[in-house]
Amino acid sequence: MTTDGEKATAVPASITSIQNANWHGRIPIQLSIAPTSLSSPNKPRSIHRMVSRMTYLHLGLFDEIMHLYEYAPSSIMAGTGNGKKQMMVVREEPPDSPPKQEQQGNNESDDANNHNNKEEAAEQQQGENTSQSNQAESSYQNNDKNNDQRIEQSSSSTPTTTPPFPECWFEDEESGLPLRWQLFVGVLYDLMKGRLIANNAGSPCNQFRNLPWKIRIHFTLYPTDQLLPLDITVPPQQQHETGEAMSTTKNNNASQQAQINTLIGRMYRNSLKQALFLQYGSSKVAMSITKNNHEKMWDAVVQSNYDAYHQVNNDLQVGVMAAPINNKLSLTDDLTDTDEKHNKALPQLVPVRILLNDKPAIQKPTLPQKKTISEYLKQRPTEILQDDAVMYVSPYTTLGDVLVSCLPDLFKVDDDAPDCNAHYSIQGVKPSLTTTIVDLWRSLCHPDHFLYVIVATQ
């Protein structure tokens, strides 16, 4: 309720509420196997799955990967990136009967022959002492028992090798471009959607026509000249598991999931450490994260659990609990205590990555402020914003400032919109170019603390 003379004001959404909404975002994906990866003419049905924007394809589609992998050939030709091909076994067939059984059969045959020989010798030596015959029989039984125990121990200690995670890669069906496994699902989808919008510039474009997102999975001809290699290494403790621990498909899948988690988790932690270094200006915070907190954050990414992620991230990300910044300050305003608090809650550098089409990411560490607020209020500003004949100045770095600095051919200083052939977005939305980069980073960054700005052109 508002009384006379009062104006109804909209309560701005908190940073954590926006983060929570992003973490709950899902993308419908239709996954199918590429014809070149089939081992039979019978193609399996496509699989539909809702995948979180904040995870990775190999993690969000792990069960689907292992299901479609059953239709791939046991040995395939893998590309090496230099135009050559090499044979690579990606799925091992069940091993033949262990040779220990054959050895046991031979031992039993030899024991039978020895027994027959003993009986013939006993008949020829009927006059020998009965106690000597009993002693020989007892010795034979002990030797036979020891042989059986040795064979049983040797068979039980036979190592079984854990099968490696299949070297697979994903492809966008519409464009035919390989999808970079080290990027989050939301980033990959926004790149694809941006290309679609940019190519349909000037004409109506239904943004939902590309849903579900159609993706192909390949188990052959890995494009090492376009994608980072899946450097899967089996942990030493999994290379020679004994007993029945690794004898079932369920346990094998759990081990393979651990392999891909280790690879992508290592990439994620390295990216997070880079972002923390930029925020604090040193590696002290990144190096002080405990192993338990690292595991909590990574498990939250794998399970797309924002509540678990926020428990750790609350103490890591600079200013995540601060109020949004007021980007418009009047030239007649004085420096307030609130502004001082904003300054203390600002990172030293904002971790920003700009992705233009399918090119490598442009890493752009960005100062949160062009100049301090006091400096801006003491001098005539170089950039003036007009609103109802009141003059305002923006001391904070905006999204437009970053894009103009990195992509001056596509974004102009005086324009609030980019070139008509370019489309930009962050987390699937298109914010104003006058929005402060700090607010965007706090609200829309990915779990590795980088703000991914997607730019697509024709």
Side-chain angles (χ1 to χ4, degrees):
M1 294 287 296
T2 59
T3 60
D4 294 338
E6 293 182 351
K7 293 183 179 180
T9 58
V11 178
S14 65
I15 292 174
T16 54
S17 64
I18 299 175
Q19 287 184 347
N20 189 24
N22 287 330
W23 274 73
H24 283 83
R26 298 290 188 273
I27 298 175
I29 291 180
Q30 178 180 333
L31 182 66
S32 61
I33 188 171
T36 55
S37 296
L38 282 173
S39 60
S40 66
N42 299 324
K43 184 178 181 180
R45 293 183 177 180
S46 300
I47 302 175
H48 293 257
R49 177 74 184 273
M50 297 290 289
V51 181
S52 170
R53 293 182 60 92
M54 297 297 190
T55 189
Y56 300 86
L57 283 176
H58 285 81
L59 301 183
L61 296 173
F62 175 81
D63 293 336
E64 290 71 20
I65 293 174
M66 302 312 298
H67 170 71
L68 294 177
Y69 183 48
E70 297 176 359
Y71 296 89
S74 58
S75 62
I76 60 176
M77 299 299 294
T80 60
N82 55 4
K84 299 180 180 180
K85 297 180 180 180
Q86 61 181 0
M87 181 64 70
M88 179 183 64
V89 177
V90 296
R91 183 173 69 242
E92 297 181 355
E93 299 296 337
D96 297 332
S97 299
K100 302 300 180 182
Q101 297 179 359
E102 181 179 357
Q103 178 182 353
Q104 183 177 0
N106 293 336
N107 290 340
E108 293 176 355
S109 177
D110 293 341
D111 292 341
N113 293 334
N114 292 337
H115 183 67
N116 293 333
N117 293 336
K118 287 180 180 291
E119 289 182 350
E120 294 177 1
E123 292 177 358
Q124 295 176 0
Q125 299 177 1
Q126 293 179 358
E128 294 184 359
N129 193 303
T130 304
S131 62
Q132 294 179 354
S133 176
N134 293 337
Q135 184 178 1
E137 183 178 358
S138 176
S139 177
Y140 161 74
Q141 291 176 352
N142 291 334
N143 291 337
D144 185 58
K145 182 178 180 180
N146 293 335
N147 288 338
D148 291 341
Q149 291 178 351
R150 185 174 63 255
I151 292 171
E152 182 179 357
Q153 292 175 358
S154 177
S155 177
S156 62
S157 62
T158 302
T160 57
T161 303
T162 302
F165 182 82
E167 189 180 38
C168 58
W169 56 283
F170 297 96
E171 171 195 16
D172 175 38
E173 282 195 15
E174 182 161 350
S175 63
L177 294 175
L179 301 176
R180 288 170 273 185
W181 58 264
Q182 74 274 19
L183 296 180
F184 293 95
V185 173
V187 174
L188 293 172
Y189 175 75
D190 291 344
L191 281 169
M192 182 277 303
K193 180 181 175 182
R195 284 192 298 266
L196 179 65
I197 296 177
N199 291 331
N200 288 274
S203 61
C205 177
N206 185 356
Q207 61 176 337
F208 300 110
R209 83 165 202 186
N210 56 328
L211 293 177
W213 185 18
K214 296 181 180 180
I215 297 176
R216 290 194 194 98
I217 185 171
H218 293 256
F219 296 100
T220 59
L221 301 176
Y222 191 91
T224 54
D225 56 337
Q226 296 178 277
L227 300 178
L228 293 177
L230 275 177
D231 187 15
I232 299 293
T233 56
V234 182
Q237 65 272 20
Q238 297 178 2
Q239 290 181 358
H240 299 293
E241 297 285 352
T242 59
E244 297 181 356
M246 303 305 300
S247 61
T248 64
T249 302
K250 181 179 179 180
N251 288 324
N252 281 343
N253 286 353
S255 175
Q256 291 168 328
Q257 188 170 20
Q259 296 169 23
I260 191 65
N261 281 1
T262 299
L263 172 65
I264 301 181
R266 188 187 310 120
M267 183 76 67
Y268 164 77
R269 284 189 291 271
N270 290 338
S271 183
L272 177 62
K273 289 178 180 178
Q274 292 181 40
L276 290 174
F277 180 84
L278 295 176
Q279 294 174 57
Y280 292 95
S282 71
S283 59
K284 182 178 180 180
V285 175
M287 300 303 294
S288 63
I289 303 177
T290 64
K291 180 180 179 181
N292 185 36
N293 283 341
H294 263 306
E295 292 177 350
K296 284 183 178 179
M297 292 191 72
W298 177 238
D299 289 342
V301 174
V302 174
Q303 301 170 9
S304 301
N305 187 341
Y306 174 73
D307 292 335
Y309 173 82
H310 180 65
Q311 290 179 1
V312 181
N313 186 63
N314 188 30
D315 296 328
L316 291 180
Q317 188 175 358
V318 176
V320 68
M321 300 301 295
I325 293 175
N326 179 15
N327 191 31
K328 290 185 177 182
L329 297 177
S330 171
L331 294 180
T332 60
D333 288 345
D334 295 327
L335 189 62
T336 63
D337 293 338
T338 302
D339 298 323
E340 290 288 358
K341 292 179 180 179
H342 279 316
N343 290 340
K344 293 180 181 180
L346 293 176
Q348 293 194 18
L349 290 172
V350 180
V352 179
R353 285 175 178 165
I354 300 176
L355 290 98
L356 176 62
N357 299 328
D358 57 341
K359 297 180 180 179
I362 303 173
Q363 191 150 308
K364 180 65 175 177
T366 303
L367 289 170
Q369 288 178 296
K370 307 170 189 176
K371 293 182 180 179
T372 63
I373 297 177
S374 57
E375 289 175 340
Y376 256 75
L377 296 178
K378 290 179 180 178
Q379 64 183 14
R380 182 178 180 85
T382 57
E383 181 178 322
I384 299 296
L385 303 176
Q386 292 186 356
D387 186 9
D388 297 333
V390 178
M391 307 301 290
Y392 290 93
V393 62
S394 175
Y396 297 100
T397 304
T398 65
L399 174 61
D401 296 329
V402 177
L403 292 177
V404 169
S405 174
C406 292
L407 304 172
D409 294 337
L410 298 177
F411 297 87
K412 309 302 181 183
V413 176
D414 299 328
D415 295 340
D416 187 47
D419 188 272
C420 61
N421 293 327
H423 171 80
Y424 71 93
S425 65
I426 302 175
Q427 290 281 16
V429 298
K430 187 177 180 180
S432 170
L433 293 177
T434 59
T435 309
T436 61
I437 200 68
V438 174
D439 279 343
L440 290 173
W441 169 71
R442 288 172 177 168
S443 304
L444 303 178
C445 70
H446 275 75
D448 62 350
H449 286 197
F450 271 94
L451 179 69
Y452 290 85
V453 183
I454 308 302
V455 179
T457 60
Q458 287 184 342

